[in-house]
Amino acid sequence: MRRPTLLLASLLIAILGLMAAKSWLVQAPPLRATNQATEFDATRAKARLAVILGDQRARPADTAADDKVRGHIVDALREMGLNPILRDQFASNELYKQRGVSCARVRNVIATLGPPDGKAVLLNAHYDSTPVGPGAGDDGVGVATLLDIASLLKDRPLKRPVILLFNEGEELGLVGAGAFLADPLSRNVDSIVNLEARGVRGPVNMFETSRPNAAPIGVFKAAVRNPVANSLSTDVYRLLPNYTDVNSFAERNWLTLNLAPIGNETRYHSAGDDLAALDPATLQHMGDQTLALAQSLANGAPKTGGGERFFMDIAGKTLVVLPLALGVALLVILLLAAVVIALRRGQLVRGVAIAFGTIFASGILAWIALAVIGAFRHGMFWRAEPVWTHLATYACVLVAAVLLIVTIGRQLTTSQLRASCWLVSLLSAR
Ligand SMILES: [Zn+2]
């Protein structure tokens, strides 16, 4: 191999390596070795979850295994001096984003903290699992969070009631959430923090809000110290056929924040969603955020209205929030500037063709690769091997880009290419 080719090949491999390492860079804040008495304690919460899950059997709604887990939750609440309410209901619920209705006998466990009257904050998690696994993440992480928060908030002077709902039947089609809507307690609720899981490690993402989002984003930004959220992912989530209890509650127009970890998604809804796989740092990230949000929402009624916001976190340290109108204006200015610069530098058509061509060609390459591998390996191999799948996808992008640059982009200078690529990035930003 000639030296420049060797250099280029090593550079491409290095870029690929960095791209693959990206998933390891996004982590939950490290687990605290010691906690203040007022702080969420993930080690204590996980130990309590281990007691609640017992032999870690799968516990679909209305089964003996689920009855046992519910018994442990009620015991844990009583040991804290709380007086949990047990509702026994037959409920049915429309399946969102799908056709069908789901019905079951469900028993929701409800604990209330703070003053007996007034508008309330709802913290929601489900304690049933799918039939295939122990659901230590989905939604043990939510149950463990609610219990530790109950132990912390029960002695604090709260201005507004906080309702902890451990619902049954989410996995059957949000039946427990549907049952809660028939509960008189639900009439006082004006805001909800929903705790879910689609993985067992990594940071806990805030992936859904009520709309308009200015009010929930305002609460989230003010309360949460390590935010992981951006408006692009909340927009994408809305397009997905996924649902959580929040879909059931949507008809009430409560201020809504939905939290979930997604790291090591291969464990989700599988036998591998067990306690050993659940990262306590992830539990701590969920606990810290939920405690801060509950405390803030319990201090006073949240604002309403306020329009739409763009938002994104900077490395999980702070949240940048922009009014939608300002964001759009900035985008238009950047777009115009990019057009002017790209026109001045010349070769605009070729440059844009390379950038768009890379997007389309890499999509086609990835699709062909999937079809070829799929001919030999059945099932969802891309979920089983996420690192290799990401690497292969990034490799498709690099191959397509290099091929286009050395063919139609031969005469283009780096500055011409850069201007066109920025233009295409800005165009795809909206
Ligand atoms: Zn779930």
Side-chain angles (χ1 to χ4, degrees), residues 126 138-139 170-171 196-197 268-269:
H126 66 90
D138 180 15
D139 190 14
E170 193 271 353
E171 301 292 3
E196 259 297 348
Y268 173 66
H269 285 184

Side-chain angles (χ1 to χ4, degrees), residues 37-42 44-45 48 77 80 82 111 113 121-124 141-156 158 162-164 166 193 195 259 283-295 298:
T38 52
E39 272 179 321
F40 185 90
D41 187 330
R44 175 178 64 200
R48 201 184 272 125
L77 290 166
M80 292 174 201
L82 295 167
L113 310 168
V121 184
L122 177 67
L123 307 182
N124 176 64
V141 72
V143 169
T145 298
L146 288 195
L147 286 172
D148 208 62
I149 284 181
S151 75
L152 291 166
L153 287 188
K154 71 184 170 72
D155 301 320
R156 288 191 197 172
L158 303 170
V162 173
I163 301 174
L164 308 175
F166 305 81
V193 180
L195 309 178
L259 308 177
L283 181 52
Q284 175 184 276
H285 196 208
M286 180 173 267
D288 286 349
Q289 294 188 59
T290 312
L291 180 62
L293 289 169
Q295 184 68 70

Side-chain angles (χ1 to χ4, degrees), residues 82 95 127 138 192 219 226 265-266 290 330 350 366 369 374 412 415:
L82 295 167
L95 288 175
Y127 67 85
D138 180 15
I192 175 179
V219 173
N226 296 104
E265 194 254 357
T266 51
T290 312
L330 279 175
R350 267 175 199 246
L412 265 71
S415 73

Side-chain angles (χ1 to χ4, degrees), residues 82-368:
L82 295 167
N83 194 11
I85 306 163
L86 194 65
R87 300 279 200 235
D88 191 341
Q89 290 160 284
F90 183 82
S92 50
N93 201 12
E94 183 187 339
L95 288 175
Y96 290 84
K97 305 183 189 179
Q98 283 175 23
R99 281 186 169 187
V101 172
S102 192
C103 306
R105 179 189 179 191
V106 292
R107 276 150 291 183
N108 288 344
V109 178
I110 304 169
T112 53
L113 310 168
D117 301 310
K119 287 289 180 191
V121 184
L122 177 67
L123 307 182
N124 176 64
H126 66 90
Y127 67 85
D128 61 307
S129 78
T130 60
V132 295
D138 180 15
D139 190 14
V141 72
V143 169
T145 298
L146 288 195
L147 286 172
D148 208 62
I149 284 181
S151 75
L152 291 166
L153 287 188
K154 71 184 170 72
D155 301 320
R156 288 191 197 172
L158 303 170
K159 291 192 182 136
R160 303 188 332 133
V162 173
I163 301 174
L164 308 175
L165 171 60
F166 305 81
N167 85 67
E168 184 181 26
E170 193 271 353
E171 301 292 3
L172 284 182
L174 322 179
V175 184
F180 182 69
L181 288 179
D183 197 302
L185 279 172
S186 74
R187 278 186 230 127
N188 293 335
V189 173
D190 69 2
S191 40
I192 175 179
V193 180
N194 189 57
L195 309 178
E196 259 297 348
R198 206 190 160 86
V200 287
R201 53 187 312 114
V204 169
N205 302 259
M206 195 288 290
F207 65 98
E208 188 179 21
T209 66
S210 44
R211 298 181 79 186
N213 67 7
I217 289 302
V219 173
F220 183 72
K221 180 177 167 63
V224 170
R225 272 176 56 205
N226 296 104
V228 176
N230 70 71
S231 33
L232 188 64
S233 61
T234 53
D235 285 354
V236 170
Y237 175 78
R238 261 198 292 278
L239 302 174
L240 298 176
N242 301 357
Y243 53 79
T244 68
D245 286 331
V246 162
N247 295 79
S248 273
F249 298 138
E251 62 179 67
R252 297 285 172 96
N253 291 321
W254 297 333
L255 178 137
T256 303
L257 290 158
N258 206 349
L259 308 177
I262 53 169
N264 198 357
E265 194 254 357
T266 51
R267 301 276 180 154
Y268 173 66
H269 285 184
S270 82
D273 186 5
D274 59 8
L275 277 169
L278 178 62
D279 185 352
T282 298
L283 181 52
Q284 175 184 276
H285 196 208
M286 180 173 267
D288 286 349
Q289 294 188 59
T290 312
L291 180 62
L293 289 169
Q295 184 68 70
S296 151
L297 288 165
N299 272 343
K303 286 187 193 132
T304 50
E308 288 287 335
R309 297 284 184 270
F310 273 136
F311 56 92
M312 67 177 285
D313 71 272
I314 308 287
K317 296 283 177 248
T318 182
L319 195 73
V320 178
V321 182
L322 285 180
L324 185 65
L326 181 60
V328 171
L330 279 175
L331 180 63
V332 171
I333 292 168
L334 282 173
L335 208 52
L336 289 175
V339 169
V340 171
I341 293 169
L343 277 173
R344 271 204 198 145
R345 292 186 183 173
Q347 296 281 8
L348 176 63
V349 176
R350 267 175 199 246
V352 168
I354 289 170
F356 270 125
T358 301
I359 297 171
F360 289 117
S362 56
I364 293 168
L365 269 177
W367 182 79
I368 293 172

